[in-house]
Amino acid sequence: MDEQSSAAATKKSGLPKLPASTIWMINFGFLGVQIAFTLQSSQMSRIFQTIGADPNKLGWFFILPPLAGLIVQPIIGYYSDRTWAPKLGGRRLPYLALGTLIAIIVMCLLPNSGSFGFGYASVTALVFGAVTVALLDVSSNIAMQPFKMMVGDMVNDDQKSYAYGIQSFLSNGGAVIAAIFPFIFTAFGVANTAEKGVVPQSVVISFYVGAAILLLTSLLTIFKVHEYDPKTYAKYHGITEEANTTGGNWWSLLKKAPKVFWTVTLVQFFCWIAFQYLWTYSAGAIANNVWNTTNATSAGYQAAGNWYGVLAAVQSIAAVIWSYVLAKLPNNHHKLGYSLSLALGAIGFLSVFFIHTQYILIISYTLVGIAWASMNTYPLTMVTNALSGEHMGTYLGLFNGSICLPQIVASLASFGLFPLLGNAQPNMFVLAGIIMALGAVSVGFIKETYKA
């Protein structure tokens, strides 16, 4: 804040210590949101290739979710900073309710993209799928952003790492649940194959169950959490009540952003390109290397899709365990933990290219999970520690660009890189591993700060 706003600010009393149960409730709906995201990321490539998408054109479909997030999250942050609707829940919760409602509807539509008689590989089927994916990502982003913001709004610095640790635990727990759904339903006799161009029922039912869990977990947060009113918020953060209702121009905020905002963004750039290729090409790479098929309508390909779901669960379990390891590191070892985790993830990415046995891939995705844990733990902690309470939501929405922009770059680049690397999906993992290694190196540019 400048001198004038500092002089006018409410005397800061500091955020109070919250009961553990309150912190859990602030984050609990994140479980359902992450189930939606994981079903989207782990099954999207499978769905589109099943309904006839050319693997060389998958990048077009994977551009839509990060593009939606790039636009939506700063908007949600900007307007929720200015919102106070106690009858609808408060500042962030009304947006959580809206996003959840839309996401549930879209989750019931997306896996049925091939079931409306549009025809295999038809433009109509692919466009319908693309539109539903975009809507799912928009709504999931609307629902997800309030959780990040409420931690910044309500949790003090001493409890913040604990709060983001719970968020990471619930996020990865939701990812485990979502990733193994198709595998479990297949084991219980649900069909894992279907007629050409139709998504198997094992995937369709997974989305239906995921939608139900999203509804239940979000309702728990909505009814159990009570946000601070504007006066109390201003008092706890040492700002004026008007601080979040004026200004907030995105360009101006970016120009005033602390240096750590940008150095962490550099690391994020490399990390999220690598993960974009993981989500885009895992099912096809596993089918090619392990089941020796590139035919998306074959039983082997669908089995590979299920196995990728199991590996995604392995990745999330590894991330949960590694998150506890990272939580034990003292503050002056954050950079070491961050860099080492990303380096191990780079090895995991590279190894996928060389492995042709499904069970050994468990090691690869365990290493990838270690990188994922550090990506969930460090960036938000480093950035929020450097911010005041002014325009917290807008800043976090803008920081989401460090996640979305690399994914867009990765998808656009794939149109040239995929054919350059022989039109072979396993080859993309060599590239992803090299890019993740660059992320590990770039951690050295970060200098942590603890005030805006």
Side-chain angles (χ1 to χ4, degrees), residues 278-446:
L278 175 92
W279 297 324
T280 307
Y281 299 110
S282 274
I286 294 167
N288 192 334
N289 276 3
V290 178
W291 274 268
N292 300 311
T293 182
T294 58
N295 180 5
T297 65
S298 67
Y301 183 92
Q302 297 302 329
N306 274 8
W307 188 243
Y308 171 49
V310 173
L311 293 173
V314 168
Q315 172 192 319
S316 297
I317 292 170
V320 170
I321 296 171
W322 194 248
S323 292
Y324 282 107
V325 175
L326 297 178
K328 298 295 183 181
L329 293 178
N331 288 347
N332 61 347
H333 284 73
H334 279 177
K335 288 173 61 176
L336 175 63
Y338 199 2
S339 183
L340 175 63
S341 300
L342 298 182
L344 291 172
I347 295 171
F349 276 99
L350 287 166
S351 68
V352 173
F353 172 79
F354 297 99
I355 293 174
H356 295 263
T357 304
Q358 69 182 100
Y359 295 105
I360 298 180
L361 283 170
I362 290 173
I363 299 173
S364 302
Y365 281 80
T366 296
L367 294 174
V368 170
I370 288 173
W372 185 245
S374 69
M375 290 164 62
N376 283 326
T377 301
Y378 289 124
L380 278 176
T381 300
M382 290 176 172
V383 170
T384 55
N385 281 343
L387 295 172
S388 70
E390 288 191 33
H391 308 294
M392 176 72 75
T394 310
Y395 263 121
L396 292 181
L398 291 169
F399 183 66
N400 192 59
S402 71
I403 295 173
C404 298
L405 278 174
Q407 294 180 66
I408 294 171
V409 170
S411 294
L412 290 173
S414 71
F415 302 133
L417 293 171
F418 187 73
L420 184 65
L421 295 176
N423 292 305
Q425 297 188 55
N427 294 353
M428 297 300 288
F429 280 83
V430 176
L431 177 62
I434 294 171
I435 293 171
M436 180 62 79
L438 292 174
V441 173
S442 66
V443 171
F445 293 106
I446 298 174

Side-chain angles (χ1 to χ4, degrees), residues 239-268:
I239 61 176
T240 65
E241 288 187 52
E242 297 76 25
N244 279 321
T245 59
T246 59
N249 176 274
W250 295 0
W251 180 245
S252 297
L253 291 179
L254 288 174
K255 288 194 292 184
K256 295 188 296 183
K259 185 176 179 180
V260 70
F261 183 101
W262 297 110
T263 51
V264 174
T265 293
L266 175 65
V267 179
Q268 293 272 81

Side-chain angles (χ1 to χ4, degrees), residues 108-133:
C108 294
L109 292 175
L110 175 58
N112 290 296
S113 299
S115 303
F116 297 113
F118 298 135
Y120 179 73
S122 71
V123 173
T124 304
L126 295 174
V127 168
F128 178 85
V131 170
T132 52
V133 162

Side-chain angles (χ1 to χ4, degrees), residues 26 92-93 146-154 221 225 227:
I26 288 173
R92 317 295 185 185
L93 291 174
F147 298 109
K148 297 178 182 179
M149 296 173 185
M150 284 190 290
V151 172
D153 290 346
M154 301 177 66
T221 292
V225 174
E227 298 186 71

Side-chain angles (χ1 to χ4, degrees), residues 12-220:
K12 184 175 182 178
S13 64
L15 286 160
K17 183 176 181 180
L18 297 177
S21 58
T22 300
I23 296 177
W24 274 91
M25 284 299 103
I26 288 173
N27 289 294
F28 197 67
F30 209 89
L31 175 73
V33 174
Q34 191 58 45
I35 286 176
F37 269 116
T38 300
L39 283 171
Q40 173 185 300
S41 63
S42 67
Q43 299 300 320
M44 200 165 87
S45 177
R46 177 183 183 180
I47 289 172
F48 280 110
Q49 292 188 69
T50 297
I51 64 177
D54 181 344
N56 192 34
K57 297 179 180 177
L58 285 175
W60 288 116
F61 302 106
F62 279 83
I63 284 175
L64 295 172
L67 184 60
L70 182 66
I71 298 169
V72 170
Q73 291 216 23
I75 292 174
I76 296 302
Y78 179 88
Y79 283 106
S80 64
D81 279 342
R82 289 157 170 73
T83 296
W84 179 246
K87 292 184 179 179
L88 296 176
R91 173 179 281 110
R92 317 295 185 185
L93 291 174
Y95 297 91
L96 168 59
L98 174 64
T100 297
L101 176 61
I102 300 172
I104 289 169
I105 295 171
V106 179
M107 287 179 74
C108 294
L109 292 175
L110 175 58
N112 290 296
S113 299
S115 303
F116 297 113
F118 298 135
Y120 179 73
S122 71
V123 173
T124 304
L126 295 174
V127 168
F128 178 85
V131 170
T132 52
V133 162
L135 287 173
L136 177 56
D137 205 79
V138 167
S139 56
S140 297
N141 272 286
I142 293 172
M144 179 180 68
Q145 194 68 356
F147 298 109
K148 297 178 182 179
M149 296 173 185
M150 284 190 290
V151 172
D153 290 346
M154 301 177 66
V155 180
N156 65 37
D157 289 348
D158 292 335
Q159 293 183 296
K160 193 172 289 181
S161 60
Y162 173 70
Y164 281 123
I166 291 174
Q167 196 168 102
S168 178
F169 172 80
L170 290 169
S171 172
N172 288 297
V176 171
I177 293 168
I180 64 174
F181 269 164
F183 186 85
I184 290 175
F185 290 133
T186 301
F188 277 94
V190 178
N192 194 48
T193 58
E195 61 184 274
K196 186 175 182 179
V198 176
V199 177
Q201 281 297 299
S202 59
V203 177
V204 174
I205 293 176
S206 296
F207 273 82
Y208 291 168
V209 174
I213 295 174
L214 172 60
L215 174 62
L216 292 174
T217 57
S218 295
L219 285 176
L220 269 174

